[in-house]
Amino acid sequence: MSLSTAKSPVREHGRRPLGLTPDLRNLSLLGVLAALVVVGGLTRPSEFLATSNLQLVLTQASVIGVVTVGMTFVITSGGIDLSVGAIVALASVWATTVATQEYGFAGILFTAVVVGLACGLVNGLLVAYGRMVPFIATLAMLASARGLALQITDGRTQIVTVQSVLDLGVPDAYVLGIPPLVLVFAAVTVAGWLILNRTTFGRRTVAVGGNAEAARLAGIDVRRQRLYLYLLSGLCCGIAAFLLIVLSGSGQNTNGNLYELDAIAAAIIGGTLLSGGRGTIVGSVLGVLVFTTITNIFALNNLQSDVQQIAKGAIIVAAVLVQRRTARDADA
């Protein structure tokens, strides 16, 4: 198989759906998001439409959104990462120990990112070179990282005392009314879109997810690519851990609970194929905003969290059914 032959599926199934031109799926998500805004505005107009609440929604979306960007890359390659929530927890508690906080802002940020990268490296080595099934490898990391986070904290909340970190979460730090965490999320989103759509790395990611054997015959080092992807996921988890530290002002072993499910769900309803071969950063971000808005509306209306989970589950099922129908139509 020639290199040109192997690249054609990438252009057909990867480049085209990932362009800036909104497809029907993204337009549908925008419609859902608009409908949720209307519902929130009608049920709790003074609270939901308040500037402070909209800032809160975007800030909360930033943490899981950064994780979802990394997850989108992994799923596009045909993999999965069940450990993202546990990695966020481990990175957040390791970065907020008394010893780490002695190094100030830089020490907390550096530790969070390094812990995320280290966990991503372990996942990548197990999957790419240990030939472990991604589900099993990342499940093992989930258990290990959660256990280590609990051991470090001994079940206690670690309070952040570094004022420069806490200052990022106060209104005085907002830039033109936009919280710094949202700006970081926007930067990660733009970087993720550019990498996935405008670089060789992105094309290789789509190729590996579409057909790993064809990608290997085309000259792509599939194992190294998968290692890089889990490193990228770990990096996103480290960044998200730092954002969560800023948002909560603490480090807890319970941080990042169910982030893996939220990130996977957001990526799926955004249009990323769970089987690999197609991914969209824009769709994933819209998925994050949809779920975060739902959570906010339920909280403002004092509705039970179990109903919220049922609503999320229904959305996920509907998105998967749409994906299956789309795949059948494409094969027809």
Side-chain angles (χ1 to χ4, degrees):
M1 179 182 296
S2 66
L3 184 58
S4 60
T5 303
K7 282 185 176 180
S8 59
V10 178
R11 290 193 298 267
E12 181 180 353
H13 300 295
R15 266 296 182 89
R16 188 175 177 181
L18 297 175
L20 277 176
T21 303
D23 59 10
L24 182 59
R25 183 180 295 103
N26 287 346
L27 289 175
S28 299
L29 284 174
L30 283 173
V32 171
L33 188 58
L36 289 173
V37 171
V38 171
V39 171
L42 292 176
T43 57
R44 284 291 187 271
S46 58
E47 295 94 341
F48 181 79
L49 297 177
T51 302
S52 58
N53 184 64
L54 297 178
Q55 290 172 334
L56 176 62
V57 171
L58 291 176
T59 301
Q60 292 175 336
S62 298
V63 180
I64 186 61
V66 171
V67 174
T68 303
V69 170
M71 181 69 78
T72 300
F73 277 89
V74 173
I75 296 179
T76 300
S77 72
I80 199 73
D81 190 348
L82 300 179
S83 64
V84 291
I87 294 175
V88 169
L90 178 59
S92 69
V93 300
W94 208 323
T96 54
T97 60
V98 175
T100 302
Q101 293 193 53
E102 291 179 355
Y103 294 94
F105 184 100
I108 293 177
L109 175 59
F110 177 79
T111 302
V113 170
V114 168
V115 171
L117 283 171
C119 293
L121 176 63
V122 173
N123 280 336
L125 290 174
L126 291 176
V127 173
Y129 294 95
R131 299 185 182 279
M132 290 184 66
V133 177
F135 181 91
I136 300 300
T138 58
L139 184 63
M141 175 58 72
L142 182 156
S144 301
R146 283 288 179 193
L148 184 55
L150 179 60
Q151 186 178 52
I152 291 174
T153 61
D154 196 23
R156 299 187 181 94
T157 299
Q158 298 177 165
I159 304 300
V160 176
T161 58
V162 180
Q163 193 59 43
S164 57
V165 173
L166 299 175
D167 287 343
L168 289 177
V170 301
D172 289 342
Y174 292 3
V175 179
L176 299 177
I178 303 176
L181 275 65
V182 178
L183 295 177
V184 174
F185 175 36
V188 171
T189 298
V190 172
W193 187 90
L194 290 174
I195 292 172
L196 188 58
N197 293 277
R198 292 293 182 264
T199 67
T200 302
F201 183 88
R203 291 192 291 273
R204 288 174 177 172
T205 299
V206 176
V208 170
N211 191 323
E213 181 61 19
R216 185 187 67 82
L217 294 175
I220 297 175
D221 190 330
V222 175
R223 291 189 298 178
R224 185 172 60 185
Q225 185 70 17
R226 285 174 174 162
L227 173 62
Y228 288 162
L229 288 166
Y230 280 98
L231 275 172
L232 178 60
S233 179
L235 173 62
C236 289
C237 289
I239 296 173
F242 180 77
L243 298 183
L244 190 57
I245 291 171
V246 173
L247 184 61
S248 64
S250 64
Q252 304 177 55
N253 65 286
T254 55
N255 281 344
N257 187 35
L258 296 182
Y259 273 19
E260 56 277 356
L261 299 184
D262 288 343
I264 293 171
I268 291 175
I269 71 169
T272 299
L273 285 180
L274 194 56
S275 57
R278 186 183 72 201
T280 163
I281 298 296
V282 174
S284 295
V285 170
L286 290 175
V288 169
L289 292 176
V290 166
F291 280 137
T292 307
T293 304
I294 290 175
T295 301
N296 183 260
I297 292 174
F298 273 65
L300 290 177
N301 286 276
N302 297 317
L303 297 176
Q304 297 293 331
S305 59
D306 53 352
V307 180
Q308 172 186 325
Q309 297 302 324
I310 293 173
K312 285 185 177 181
I315 293 174
I316 295 170
V317 171
V320 172
L321 291 176
V322 170
Q323 280 194 0
R324 293 182 61 181
R325 180 168 183 176
T326 302
R328 287 198 301 267
D329 292 343
D331 294 337

